[in-house]
Amino acid sequence: RSGAPLSPPAAVSQVTVRDALNQALDEELERDERVFLLGEEVAQYDGAYKISRGLWKKYGDKRVIDTPISEMGFAGIAVGAAMAGLRPVCEFMTFNFSMQAIDQVINSAAKSCYMSAGSISVPIVFRGPNGASAGVAAQHSQCFAAWYGHCPGLKVVSPWSSEDAKGLLKASIRDDNPVVMLESELLYGVPFEMSEQAQSKEFVIPIGKAKIEKPGTHVTLVAHSRPVGHCLEAAAVLSKEGVECEVINLRTIRPMDIETVEASVVKTNHLVTVEGGWPQFGVGAEICARIMEGPAFNYLDAPAVRVTGADVPMPYAKILEDNSIPQVKDIVFAVKKALNI
């Protein structure tokens, strides 16, 4: 039909973040018999968020293990298993509950390789939803990117798209270090385009490499997880006003790819960071400090601006919740402030 939109090539398909994570787990369980999954409701119930759907039926009780509601217990079991040569994937039903197990994550997993002079490696992935969901109040809405990003010995990844989720989870499982993978519950059901390459069994995204989601010339926007989408929406709004934003998807919190951010700031001369976490000692604060200490500082034409969550425990009421999380309008406002327009 004339004028009909061209259908996309068959090589690209729409895949939700949930299915991308499921695909990654399935492929890695199949590829390496040392990999196993444990956590609350991951087996018979198919996972609280259905990330592990079908895996228990396929791989059985030894590879996909339902645990009691005891994060310190099953995180400790997982760390011991990793020290003994297995490659556990430990799911927290939300990262807020990882507080129960933070001694295992930091003292047992993160520090052991250094304290044993390299003789004990802990190849483990701690994964699950992080940051704000919807209507779950303060004890289920915190972002732990800055907490875990603070700790030497850990790698910390924070995916946005389905491609990020699959590639980073596979890289994390194959890594010989403990990796904390901070997912967004609000992205699980969101479909993204995935290329044929991204759907292959050998697709991995290197840990520690950011991605430029949209090139631009006037201002650099840096975000991770769900706010990457908000930045792209803000960039589309600003583009109509003649402002071209460069949007960087960090992908990894630690080690942080500051070189990509620096190169962008040298080009655009302006920086805005966006995150869902609290402002004090946050990921944006770290990026701003690193830019100030490095060569890109001399290229800034205005102070860097941070867009963050509100400095309060997350309220339960929806209108208050919306005002506690960065929205597209907040990013647009920050860009205009940085550009003095």
Side-chain angles (χ1 to χ4, degrees), residues 38-89:
L38 79 168
E40 294 149 358
E41 299 186 341
V42 298
Q44 293 187 39
Y45 186 67
D46 274 344
Y49 306 98
K50 301 295 177 263
I51 304 297
S52 51
R53 187 178 54 231
L55 299 179
W56 174 65
K57 283 192 180 75
K58 185 170 178 182
Y59 295 101
D61 289 325
K62 286 204 167 138
R63 307 286 302 282
V64 184
I65 303 167
D66 276 331
T67 65
I69 301 172
S70 173
E71 280 76 13
M72 177 173 259
F74 68 73
I77 287 168
V79 171
M83 289 176 172
L86 298 176
R87 304 186 87 87
V89 179

Side-chain angles (χ1 to χ4, degrees), residues 2 12-13 55 57 75 111 135 155 166 200 225 264 276 287 296 300 305 333:
S2 66
V12 175
S13 53
L55 299 179
K57 283 192 180 75
K111 298 174 183 174
K155 293 185 179 182
K166 182 180 178 189
S200 84
S225 191
S264 180
I287 294 166
L300 278 175
V305 180
F333 179 82

Side-chain angles (χ1 to χ4, degrees), residues 63-182:
R63 307 286 302 282
V64 184
I65 303 167
D66 276 331
T67 65
I69 301 172
S70 173
E71 280 76 13
M72 177 173 259
F74 68 73
I77 287 168
V79 171
M83 289 176 172
L86 298 176
R87 304 186 87 87
V89 179
C90 176
E91 177 179 305
F92 294 123
M93 202 180 282
T94 146
F95 259 93
N96 300 266
F97 302 157
S98 75
M99 294 293 91
Q100 298 288 332
I102 198 164
D103 180 57
Q104 300 293 354
V105 179
I106 305 299
N107 280 325
S108 303
K111 298 174 183 174
S112 290
C113 186
Y114 182 85
M115 290 178 73
S116 67
S119 64
I120 300 173
S121 64
V122 189
I124 186 170
V125 181
F126 299 102
R127 55 155 294 274
N130 169 71
S133 179
V136 292
Q139 292 179 341
H140 297 70
S141 298
Q142 192 174 332
C143 175
F144 289 93
W147 285 56
Y148 288 119
H150 183 60
C151 284
L154 287 180
K155 293 185 179 182
V156 183
V157 298
S158 181
W160 167 60
S161 65
S162 300
E163 201 159 294
D164 291 350
K166 182 180 178 189
L168 288 170
L169 181 51
K170 288 172 74 82
S172 301
I173 291 170
R174 296 180 188 192
D175 202 287
D176 287 332
N177 301 281
V179 182
V180 170
M181 181 156 173
L182 304 170

